[in-house]
């Protein structure tokens, strides 16, 4: 028959093993299912979704901002977006936008002359802080990236709150008009745009949405803002990809850096872009 003290030691050891195995979630027990696939992490101002890599000790993270009409939940279920980051050891954080002017599709409060109810720069900052606290994200290795309207939101965050991330990356989305002329500090920015993009044309365009007039900004005009802010006023280093893409790198800047890539495609995220962005991000000084 087992002695009481032996039984107590085994019971204590068993409890310790269970608690150790549950460590990533135990600290966040009050958040219910947050962090479990498809379960939202809820904040007062909105929600976000998370996919974690296998290594949970202070992982870097990508905060991905979806395009118009999508959601954090839809994006966290999209393996094409999530898996390339997870394989590289990054946590993936997918916030959800807020209802747009048509009160149906989710959108971001991009600086375009029309204000949504929520301050999305403040919201993403709250998401960042909450994810760092809940999941042990390394705050010094955060990349904020986005596509289309999410890419424009990434530009606005970089301009208004550059301290939020080590680097910013956008695909097919830049500043809207009325375009800012000043930003708070230099940044590291990687922007990719399709030369044939008709949804967000390279040269910008005017459009009317639900009776409201908008003006997408000229991408090169926006890049001039970043060149001034980063003091990247010299010539860029030019390179060409085997896929017909063209790339300009402004690395000899007073602070920050700019990588600008033009592809032959249209409105989308180019194949291999996520790994290219992570290679760039990990090589930042």
């Amino acid at each position: 028959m087992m002695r009481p003290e032996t039984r107590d030691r085994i019971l204590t050891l068993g409890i310790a093993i269970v608690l150790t195995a549950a460590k990533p979630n135990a600290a966040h027990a009050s958040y219910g299912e947050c962090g479990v696939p498809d379960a939202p992490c809820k904040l007062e101002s909105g929600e976000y979704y998370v996919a974690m890599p296998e290594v949970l000790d202070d992982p870097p993270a990508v905060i991905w901002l979806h395009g118009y009409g999508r959601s954090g939940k839809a994006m966290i279920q999209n393996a094409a977006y999530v898996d390339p980051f997870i394989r590289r050891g990054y946590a993936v954080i997918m916030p959800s936008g807020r209802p747009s002017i048509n009160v149906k599709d989710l959108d971001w409060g991009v600086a375009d002359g029309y204000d949504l109810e929520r301050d999305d720069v403040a919201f993403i900052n709250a998401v960042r802080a909450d994810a760092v606290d809940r999941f042990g994200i390394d705050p010094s290795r955060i990349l904020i990236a986005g596509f289309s309207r999410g890419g424009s939101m990434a530009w606005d965050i970089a301009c208004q709150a550059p301290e939020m991330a080590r680097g910013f990356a956008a695909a097919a989305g830049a500043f809207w008009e009325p375009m800012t002329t000043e930003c708070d500090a230099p940044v590291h920015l990687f922007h990719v745009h399709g030369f044939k993009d008709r949804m967000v044309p390279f040269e910008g365009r005017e459009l009317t949405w639900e009776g409201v007039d908008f003006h997408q900004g000229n991408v090169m005009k926006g890049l001039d803002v970043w060149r001034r802010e980063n003091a990247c006023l010299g010539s860029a280093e030019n390179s060409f990809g085997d896929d017909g893409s063209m790339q300009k790198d402004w690395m000899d800047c007073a602070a920050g850096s700019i990588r600008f890539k033009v592809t032959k495609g249209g409105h989308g995220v180019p194949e291999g872009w996520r790994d290219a962005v992570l290679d760039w991000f990990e090589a930042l000084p």
Side-chain angles (χ1 to χ4, degrees):
M1 183 174 181
M2 185 181 295
R3 292 182 178 180
E5 58 270 25
T6 301
R7 184 179 63 248
D8 291 343
R9 284 199 301 272
I10 293 174
L11 179 61
T12 300
L13 177 60
I15 292 172
I17 291 173
V18 170
L19 290 177
T20 300
K23 185 177 179 181
N25 291 327
H28 318 303
S30 62
Y31 299 106
E33 296 296 309
C34 172
V36 175
D38 301 342
C41 300
K42 293 185 177 292
L43 304 178
E44 183 178 351
S45 51
E47 66 182 28
Y48 68 94
Y49 294 77
V50 175
M52 296 295 291
E54 291 184 6
V55 177
L56 296 176
D57 294 334
D58 302 319
V62 176
I63 299 177
W64 179 265
L65 308 180
H66 61 76
Y68 178 85
R70 304 294 286 171
S71 68
K73 184 174 183 179
M75 299 312 301
I76 208 71
Q77 296 171 342
N78 190 330
Y81 277 82
V82 176
D83 289 356
F85 296 129
I86 293 292
R87 284 197 298 266
R88 298 279 291 261
Y90 285 73
V92 181
I93 301 167
M94 303 281 203
S96 287
R98 296 280 283 184
S100 71
I101 57 176
N102 66 12
V103 198
K104 182 181 71 171
D105 295 321
L106 299 186
D107 192 14
W108 300 105
V110 172
D112 55 11
Y114 184 91
D115 294 328
L116 296 181
E117 294 181 2
R118 183 177 69 185
D119 180 344
D120 275 336
V121 174
F123 169 61
I124 299 302
N125 197 28
V127 167
R128 176 192 183 279
D130 192 73
V132 167
D133 181 59
R134 291 198 200 198
F135 302 104
I137 303 298
D138 183 348
S140 70
R141 293 189 294 160
I142 291 176
L143 169 69
I144 294 180
F147 166 64
S148 195
R149 282 285 280 188
S152 294
M153 193 70 237
W155 274 50
D156 283 357
I157 294 170
C159 184
Q160 298 174 36
E163 71 283 353
M164 266 199 228
R166 179 172 175 77
F168 298 85
F175 286 140
W176 288 56
E177 297 284 2
M179 191 177 295
T180 184
T181 58
E182 292 184 0
C183 293
D184 283 355
V187 297
H188 295 291
L189 175 71
F190 186 160
H191 183 82
V192 64
H193 217 101
F195 187 76
K196 298 177 183 177
D197 193 334
R198 297 179 63 86
M199 182 67 68
V200 183
F202 190 80
E203 62 276 16
R205 64 167 175 157
E206 295 182 352
L207 67 157
T208 300
W209 195 281
E210 297 292 327
V212 179
D213 294 330
F214 294 98
H215 190 163
Q216 294 168 339
N218 183 301
V219 177
M220 290 306 297
K221 181 180 174 183
L223 284 173
D224 277 345
V225 173
W226 291 119
R227 290 182 65 202
R228 289 195 301 271
E229 290 299 316
N230 287 1
C232 303
L233 299 179
S235 298
E237 296 179 9
N238 301 314
S239 57
F240 299 89
D242 294 336
D243 58 356
S245 62
M246 299 178 291
Q247 183 170 296
K248 285 183 172 287
D249 282 288
W250 288 272
M251 303 298 293
D252 187 18
C253 307
S257 64
I258 303 168
R259 171 165 290 178
F260 176 52
K261 185 173 183 177
V262 180
T263 72
K264 296 172 67 175
H267 191 66
V269 178
E271 183 178 355
W273 180 78
R274 297 162 190 81
D275 279 320
V277 165
L278 293 185
D279 290 344
W280 163 84
F281 180 71
E282 291 168 4
L284 291 176

